[in-house]
Amino acid sequence: MRDQAVAGDVLAAQAWAVTAGQAIAAAPGKLAFAFPREGFGRYADNVAILRESRRIEAAHRWINYLLRPKIAAGIVTATHTATANGDALQHLPAEIRQDPVLYPPPEVLAHGEWFESQPAASQKLRDRLWTEIKNS
């Protein structure tokens, strides 16, 4: 949706905040982002170590490296994503730290909900309906 929005091929689209922010940056003054007042799904990027990993110690070292405040801030600055690493925030430029798309105010976040695991039948229905929506 990012490239379609930038090109002007779509008038409205659902997008994660990071993707929307990238589109807005690519088309200054032409696009905007809004969190739905009715509510929205919250998300958090994460790093995980697979149970089957044969390099668990190296994986932990890599994750610890990513969690260093200056490293986390560098990732945010390079990718224009948000971070949940509170110590990294002080290392971010003000324009990123104060971006209401990446870091919405508490009154906006109050409308967000974390996804919960769904029973298999519910997930199957959701997947089918979402496929129909995307193919419309």
Side-chain angles (χ1 to χ4, degrees), residues 3-96:
D3 296 337
Q4 292 170 313
V6 171
D9 294 338
V10 295
L11 296 177
Q14 181 277 330
W16 292 113
V18 171
T19 305
Q22 292 167 346
I24 291 167
K30 295 183 180 180
L31 300 172
F33 180 82
F35 287 96
R37 286 186 300 264
E38 300 82 5
F40 52 89
R42 295 178 75 171
Y43 71 96
D45 294 327
N46 63 79
V47 176
I49 302 171
L50 297 177
R51 179 176 40 244
E52 300 84 9
S53 175
R54 290 178 281 149
R55 296 180 164 215
I56 292 175
E57 185 181 330
H60 278 282
R61 285 196 313 266
W62 175 245
I63 291 170
N64 288 339
Y65 172 77
L66 294 176
L67 289 173
R68 292 180 187 172
K70 287 185 179 180
I71 300 303
I75 292 169
V76 168
T77 302
T79 60
H80 297 280
T81 58
T83 183
N85 185 333
D87 291 336
L89 293 174
Q90 66 185 340
H91 300 287
L92 294 175
E95 65 270 10
I96 293 176

